[in-house]
Amino acid sequence: MSAPVIEIRGVTKAFGDLEVLKGVDLEVAEHEAVALIGASGSGKSTLLRCIDLLEDIDDGDIFLDSEVITDPSVDTVGVRRKLGVVFQAYNLFPHLNVIDNVTLGLVRAGDTNREEAEAQALKVLARFGLEGRERERPDNLSGGQQQRVAIARAFAARPRAMLLDEVTSALDPELVGEVLRAVRDLRSEGVTMLLATHEMGFAKEVADRVGFLHEGRLLEIGPPAQLLEDPQEPETKKFLRRLLEAGRA
Amino acid sequence: MAERGSGRPDPGVAPAATTARDRRLEREAVRRQRARRGATIAAVSTIVVLGGFTALILTSPGWDEVQRTFFSPEDFAEVFPEVLEAFWLDIRVFMVVEVVVLVLGLVVAIARLAKAPALFPVRMLAVVYTDVFRGVPTILLIYLIGFGIPALDLEGLPTEPVVLGGIALALSYGAYVAEVYRAGLRSIHPGQREAGLSIGLTESQAMRHVVLPQAVRRVGPPLLNDFIALQKDVALISVLGVAGEAFRVAQIEAQSTFNYTPLLAAALLYLCITIPMARLLDWWDSPERARG
């Protein structure tokens, strides 16, 4: 088996006295999708932010294609160009129209010229069902459309891996489906991804492995069927039972 | 609308539709009547208030004297062309200072928000600058720079009163405008910078292409507000004896004739600039525009 795309070794991260990650180990192989589940505050988002170097880790190492990316000497911009991040709150650029949201990174960060970038952006936007909306401002789109633009923006530069941070949590229930369809579409192409999610059914369907984060530790990880239906750890069982009671699983 | 009638038994579909239509017409008629009454009340009260106010002033014992010294039509006609010509200098000073202020304020604001440890002295300097120049009265600054710099007797420094006055204004307003920019930059959600970084932009690219354009849009109205103030404060450079400045010209006229009408002519010219700017500000700030 080839080396993992993302490798996380003993990562810890604290905000002041609050330890959010207490030593996490995780690997994401090429073409693999790993879903992280866990309660709010369990460290899912922080872990994703650490991988994209939006947070400095306190201890441990993170590797991207076997190269350490968490040393202070590393070119952070170069690392981020190889990763595509989708945020929970979309974080689209409201002053730019849809296509410029996508091309900004291609033109400024990559070495793509304007025309090439536009062509590339049109293609990726069409792929996520956004043809005809290219010149609209993000404010004029529904939440589901905005999140699909955000996915297109993150994917346009063909990153080595996608990091999806609860991409459906800010959406009205009827809009969740279209965003999940976009993620499924990436999945069918074999895009390597690490996603934090609250959608258990989706995690089961789309992920090769599901990991359960609890209070900053990855308590267990395994194939979805095993982790979601036959969890070994009492905390995992408790978490899944609570979800079941809330009607979310 | 149709649902309203469904509670009671309807004889048929057609009559129900007619009554719904009638009700709508009735409502519109009442609304029109109310609007008419509102307009009438507004007009009458305006006439009463303004008329009363005007009558009070015109019937005051000193009115004739006030009219002679402030509102003399002959004096006005005589000095207006001269004051108008002088006002052109005010406008030029204003425009040059405005551009300098926009750039200076932005540089200072960004310097203040710079996080790199190596930039600590720059940050310090920016803080001291805004604190000092915002805290000193503009007129004092004009005196200090206008008379202090030439007194240094150094080669290469400007000695023209109008240039020195402009520098003082730019330094004073630059400090205000820097704070306006800074508030704007800080009001942009940190998620915007992070989204910029995540697509592979550098810190300075994220500032330039993501944060700054949004911040500038947001601070347009308060910036315009400062420019209205700046436009008026150009008159302050008259204390340096700037020849040909509108307020200065009006003042000289007023002192030679013991008539203040020239000052009123200058005031009118300032209003010609500041009122359109105020309307522009209103338009910029209006909720309708924000949706666009």
Side-chain angles (χ1 to χ4, degrees), chain A residues 49 80-81 91-92 95 109, chain B residues 191-192 194 197 200 205 209:
Chain A
R49 292 170 57 82
R80 292 197 190 109
R81 284 177 190 175
N91 296 12
L92 293 180
H95 61 299
Chain B
Q192 288 291 313
E194 288 177 354
L197 295 180
Q205 283 176 325
H209 298 291

Side-chain angles (χ1 to χ4, degrees), chain B residues 8-43:
Chain B
R8 50 192 148 88
D10 271 335
V13 179
T18 339
T19 48
R21 190 165 169 277
D22 287 347
R23 272 204 304 276
R24 201 184 71 223
L25 289 175
E26 200 180 311
R27 263 201 299 273
E28 274 169 15
V30 170
R31 226 174 275 144
R32 260 198 310 276
Q33 196 189 336
R34 247 182 238 156
R36 250 197 320 271
R37 195 189 307 153
T40 315
I41 293 175

Side-chain angles (χ1 to χ4, degrees), chain B residues 78-95:
Chain B
E78 196 192 316
V79 300
F80 190 76
E82 206 181 331
V83 176
L84 179 65
E85 206 192 314
F87 192 63
W88 176 231
L89 179 73
D90 288 63
I91 290 181
R92 277 179 300 168
V93 170
F94 167 67
M95 295 216 281

Side-chain angles (χ1 to χ4, degrees), chain A residues 120-177:
Chain A
Q120 212 169 319
L122 286 174
K123 219 183 306 163
V124 73
L125 285 168
R127 172 180 184 160
F128 296 115
L130 293 157
E131 57 272 275
R133 316 313 293 263
E134 295 89 356
R135 306 289 159 188
E136 301 239 23
R137 286 298 166 102
D139 281 356
N140 295 336
L141 302 182
S142 73
Q145 288 168 330
Q146 291 191 45
Q147 192 59 295
R148 283 185 282 144
V149 174
I151 291 173
R153 179 177 73 179
F155 183 64
R158 302 286 159 159
R160 283 291 289 144
M162 295 275 283
L163 307 173
L164 310 180
D165 188 5
E166 297 192 19
V167 294
T168 58
S169 297
L171 295 171
D172 288 336
E174 78 273 17
L175 302 174
V176 169

Side-chain angles (χ1 to χ4, degrees), chain B residues 244-266:
Chain B
E245 190 275 330
F247 177 68
R248 179 80 181 160
V249 167
Q251 207 179 20
I252 291 169
E253 286 290 332
Q255 278 162 357
S256 60
T257 59
F258 298 103
N259 188 299
Y260 292 112
T261 306
L263 294 179
L264 202 86

